[in-house]
Amino acid sequence: MIVPVATTLIPSRTLASLSTILYNIILGRFKGAPGAPAEGEEENVGDTAGAPLLVERHGPVGWLTFHRPEVGNAMDAAMMAALPDAWAELDADPGVRAIVVTGAGRAFQTGLDMAQLSRDPEALRETSRRTRRGNPRLTGRQLGVAKPVVTAVNGVCAGGGLHFVADSDIVIASTRASFLDPHVSVGQASAFEAIGLARRASFAPVARMALTGAHERVTAAQALRLGWVSEVVAPGGLREAAQRLGERLAGNDPAAVAATKRALWRALETGLTRAREENAGER
């Protein structure tokens, strides 16, 4: 997430312009940029009408799809307001045993839509309040979702999109996926996303990504080697792979899966000895 600590000092027109430039950099739309579409290649953005967040069910697998492909699925006020209820809806549904989160179009998720938020002062203030409290309330992990979560990274994952990688139980990716953290390139400190990712992955590659900003990105193949993702598949097979994985998770005892998830995250957050003591009652 781009922490909006300086937005009151930047005119909304300037902020919108910076947001557009950064979006183009992230999606590689400048000539010769990594990930730029080849000549004659069209971007598959799908149907841009409707809600910014799609909630679907396919058998025992619930799906959350970021659906603002025209702006790289960046989070506007409506999407951020919809996320807590969407997670809660799927977590409470007894027919859903696993949840997949993905994006529509070329991008997975590119963080806050600062251009839109600059025109919505109350939404910007609420984002700042959540940031100060240390809980942006965006991911299943931040919202206490008990069911296993699979993140399927279909394209560019930047800035606030890294929340969903850092907080996911399992991450898989398309070969077209890439990861970058542009905070420092727009004068902002990278906080929650980089910390969360460094907690579950090697520190040095996370530090390099956070400190180089928009100038470097991590490919899907590199993310697999680094352990950020557990599987990389061809773009056309990502949704099928995520559904198949979700069904495998759904085939296990839900109480045992939930207890195992709690134990694993507790171990990551509290340390080995304390986690063993606290999880003794789960067996």
Side-chain angles (χ1 to χ4, degrees), residues 158-224:
L162 294 168
H163 277 296
F164 299 92
V165 174
D167 286 355
S168 183
D169 301 312
I170 302 173
V171 184
I172 66 174
S174 156
T175 54
R176 291 180 182 167
S178 61
F179 306 81
L180 69 155
D181 189 351
H183 284 90
V184 296
S185 296
V186 291
Q188 301 287 345
S190 179
F192 298 110
E193 302 92 334
I195 292 172
L197 198 54
R199 174 190 58 185
R200 62 180 289 167
S202 299
F203 175 84
V206 176
R208 176 165 178 157
M209 178 182 67
L211 295 174
T212 56
H215 299 292
E216 291 187 7
R217 63 184 66 201
V218 176
T219 67
Q222 291 170 329
L224 181 63

Side-chain angles (χ1 to χ4, degrees), residues 23-267:
Y23 168 66
N24 284 328
I25 291 172
I26 288 171
L27 288 192
R29 283 184 169 164
F30 292 125
K31 184 177 180 180
E39 184 175 354
E41 179 185 351
E42 295 183 359
E43 296 179 32
N44 178 22
V45 298
D47 181 7
T48 61
L53 185 69
L54 304 183
V55 181
E56 303 171 286
R57 294 162 176 81
H58 297 281
V61 183
W63 283 75
L64 292 180
T65 303
F66 304 119
H67 197 246
R68 301 186 72 225
E70 69 280 7
V71 290
N73 294 320
M75 291 179 279
D76 64 353
M79 184 186 289
M80 287 190 290
L83 276 166
D85 289 342
W87 282 113
E89 176 187 328
L90 292 177
D91 200 33
D93 186 341
V96 172
R97 296 282 193 89
I99 302 171
V100 175
V101 57
T102 192
R106 288 186 63 206
F108 166 69
Q109 169 59 249
T110 56
L112 294 184
D113 184 346
M114 295 306 298
Q116 187 277 330
L117 290 173
S118 70
R119 300 189 295 271
D120 189 341
E122 179 51 40
L124 194 56
R125 283 193 289 270
E126 174 59 22
T127 301
S128 297
R129 284 193 289 268
R130 292 184 184 183
T131 300
R132 287 194 297 270
R133 290 195 296 264
N135 186 358
R137 292 177 56 79
L138 301 173
T139 71
R141 178 66 184 159
Q142 293 165 1
L143 292 160
V145 169
K147 291 172 180 174
V149 174
V150 176
T151 292
V153 184
N154 57 296
V156 178
C157 176
L162 294 168
H163 277 296
F164 299 92
V165 174
D167 286 355
S168 183
D169 301 312
I170 302 173
V171 184
I172 66 174
S174 156
T175 54
R176 291 180 182 167
S178 61
F179 306 81
L180 69 155
D181 189 351
H183 284 90
V184 296
S185 296
V186 291
Q188 301 287 345
S190 179
F192 298 110
E193 302 92 334
I195 292 172
L197 198 54
R199 174 190 58 185
R200 62 180 289 167
S202 299
F203 175 84
V206 176
R208 176 165 178 157
M209 178 182 67
L211 295 174
T212 56
H215 299 292
E216 291 187 7
R217 63 184 66 201
V218 176
T219 67
Q222 291 170 329
L224 181 63
R225 290 196 298 270
L226 293 170
W228 298 4
V229 306
S230 61
E231 182 181 3
V232 173
V233 300
L238 182 64
R239 190 173 182 91
E240 180 182 350
Q243 178 69 25
R244 183 169 58 248
L245 179 56
E247 291 175 358
R248 288 174 183 168
L249 298 173
N252 295 319
D253 179 79
V257 168
T260 300
K261 173 174 173 168
R262 286 194 302 271
L264 289 170
W265 281 99
R266 196 175 291 162

